[in-house]
Amino acid sequence: MKKNDFLLLTKVKLFSGIEPEKMQELILHTHAGIKHYEKGNMIFRQGDTINKIGIVLSGCLIIENSGFPGNKTTLSRIPPGEIFGEAYAICGSPLMINVSAIEKTSILFFPIIDIFTGKIKVEDKGIRNKIIKNLMVMTARKNLALSRRILHTSAKTIRGKLLSYFSEQMKFSGNSFSIPFNRQQLADYLNTDRSAMCAELSKMKKEGLISYRKNEFTITPGKKQ
């Protein structure tokens, strides 16, 4: 691994609290490896079995669920510093998702299961405990994100789904915010039809409830939704 790769790893939440020198030693000892992908490349496919988790060093991934041919649902995006595939790597279950790069992306594949089983001995037991603790925190946050999505998609109308999602964004960023989805990805995330959703957004804009440009949105204060 290059020096810059190790610098990127210092920003990875899985290794939070671990000194850079010890983290570098751990990565070398576990024979973790980096792979590079171009936009559109598939990293994992439904049905694959994996024994390593992925850590995004640069770029961005999208996780989708595929049903009938051509029917895809966007579940989440994975930005730099985040992990993916941990539940499947630990349990050994076949993947129920597809993971692909939406831009040029570099990924570190790390054998987390070997840390759990003790196959790879870590001299400093504190490092092993920190990795497990960090993984638990990251998994808990993912579960909360999934719960929020279920809340948004449970609304009976498209407007209700949009307002539920926008309300969540406002809690973090105020009345003006940027979302990490394009229109198709937002429709997939909210489990609705893209054309119908875009029509509803246009209607809300005409009513003066919202304004937007691409993925930048502003909610009009005081307007009855």
Side-chain angles (χ1 to χ4, degrees), residues 3-4 142 208:
K3 183 177 180 180
N4 287 342
K142 284 189 176 184

Side-chain angles (χ1 to χ4, degrees), residues 25-40:
E25 182 180 336
L26 174 66
I27 295 298
L28 293 173
H29 187 59
T30 56
H31 303 291
I34 293 178
K35 289 187 178 181
H36 306 282
Y37 298 88
E38 298 296 327
K39 180 180 179 179

Side-chain angles (χ1 to χ4, degrees), residues 11 23-24 27 32 38 60 67 99 112-113 129 135 138 144 166 168-169 187 195 199 223:
K11 302 177 182 179
M23 180 188 65
Q24 182 172 343
I27 295 298
E38 298 296 327
C60 189
V99 183
I112 190 70
I113 190 64
N129 293 337
L135 181 63
M138 295 176 79
L144 288 175
F166 290 159
E168 179 195 352
Q169 301 307 308
S195 296
K223 274 285 186 177

Side-chain angles (χ1 to χ4, degrees), residues 139-195:
T139 301
R141 287 174 178 166
K142 284 189 176 184
N143 287 337
L144 288 175
L146 178 59
S147 296
R148 289 195 294 268
R149 181 170 185 260
I150 292 173
L151 177 64
H152 303 328
T153 57
S154 66
K156 295 182 179 180
T157 65
I158 294 176
R159 179 172 293 203
K161 294 179 180 183
L162 288 166
L163 290 176
S164 177
Y165 178 68
F166 290 159
S167 294
E168 179 195 352
Q169 301 307 308
M170 291 170 65
K171 290 177 183 177
F172 299 106
S173 305
N175 288 348
S176 296
F177 50 84
S178 174
I179 67 173
F181 302 122
N182 60 32
R183 293 295 184 269
Q184 184 60 61
Q185 291 166 350
L186 178 60
D188 289 343
Y189 178 78
L190 295 177
N191 195 27
T192 191
D193 178 74
R194 179 183 180 278
S195 296

Side-chain angles (χ1 to χ4, degrees), residues 102-140:
I102 56 175
E103 58 185 81
K104 192 172 183 179
T105 302
S106 296
I107 301 170
L108 173 74
F109 290 97
F110 183 75
I112 190 70
I113 190 64
D114 292 342
I115 299 294
F116 273 81
T117 61
K119 183 178 179 181
I120 293 178
K121 303 296 182 182
V122 181
E123 292 184 8
D124 186 341
K125 299 300 181 183
I127 292 179
R128 178 178 182 275
N129 293 337
K130 284 179 182 177
I131 290 177
I132 293 175
K133 179 183 177 181
N134 291 339
L135 181 63
M136 291 178 65
V137 171
M138 295 176 79
T139 301

